[in-house]
Amino acid sequence: MTIETKYHGKIDVDQHQIITFAQGIPGFEEEKSFVLLSLNEDAVFYALQSTESAGLAFIVVNPFHFVKDYDFTIDESYLAQLDIKEEKEVEVYSILTVKENFEDTTANLQAPIILNTRNKQGKQIILTNTNYQTRHPLFKKNAK
């Protein structure tokens, strides 16, 4: 299927690449179908691109790449909703708030996106009882 994207123009995507968010993403509940597209050669930054709305793409990263001690437990109800059977089926992403000065970019660690790689189901979950923030600095500042 051919889709129009925010960062890649018109591209062809395989049906098997499509990730379904049954309840959408908070604030975008009507958007249920997305694809994950690499934004750079080393596949660190991705666009979570809507297949319906060309202008809707979230910049996401695997948070463990930047925050080595990031740790949380996925509630059983979310595991059931996404039909997750094994840990190896899970991928985690954080939505970024990209700043003009890229070094000031932040990641939403309080509301990770959980993907089941086997059935291509996704959900953004809200972590409770945590100190993680919605605007966690992505890059450590050099002490002066």
Side-chain angles (χ1 to χ4, degrees):
M1 106 189 239
T2 301
I3 65 168
E4 187 71 40
T5 70
K6 184 171 184 173
Y7 301 106
H8 296 84
K10 230 177 230 191
I11 63 166
D12 289 319
V13 294
D14 185 310
Q15 285 292 120
H16 296 98
Q17 289 178 276
I18 295 175
I19 302 161
T20 302
F21 287 77
Q23 288 96 28
I25 292 176
F28 301 89
E29 287 80 7
E30 69 288 349
E31 299 284 341
K32 313 252 190 241
S33 176
F34 289 84
V35 290
L36 203 55
L37 305 171
S38 181
L39 287 175
N40 59 346
E41 289 177 15
D42 55 2
V44 172
F45 298 97
Y46 295 88
L48 184 61
Q49 173 68 55
S50 166
T51 62
E52 307 286 321
S53 304
L56 181 61
F58 300 98
I59 305 302
V60 299
V61 295
N62 176 332
F64 301 103
H65 186 80
F66 292 93
V67 184
K68 302 295 185 209
D69 60 350
Y70 187 48
D71 186 40
F72 61 91
T73 301
I74 302 172
D75 187 270
E76 290 292 328
S77 65
Y78 296 139
L79 295 174
Q81 284 176 36
L82 296 172
D83 190 32
I84 293 171
K85 309 266 190 239
E86 300 179 69
E87 188 176 328
K88 68 180 182 181
E89 296 175 345
V90 178
E91 284 185 0
V92 177
Y93 293 92
S94 291
I95 295 177
L96 300 184
T97 300
V98 179
K99 305 290 186 169
E100 189 172 331
N101 177 7
F102 193 69
E103 319 281 280
D104 296 331
T105 294
T106 60
N108 183 346
L109 297 184
Q110 191 175 16
I113 291 177
I114 309 301
L115 300 181
N116 180 331
T117 58
R118 176 181 44 82
N119 66 13
K120 298 296 186 192
Q121 296 294 309
K123 181 170 186 63
Q124 184 175 27
I125 66 171
I126 310 298
L127 301 178
T128 56
N129 301 319
T130 180
N131 290 327
Y132 293 122
Q133 306 164 18
T134 57
R135 297 192 184 276
H136 181 88
L138 196 60
F139 303 102
K140 293 187 188 301
K141 299 288 184 184
N142 291 333
K144 294 185 180 182

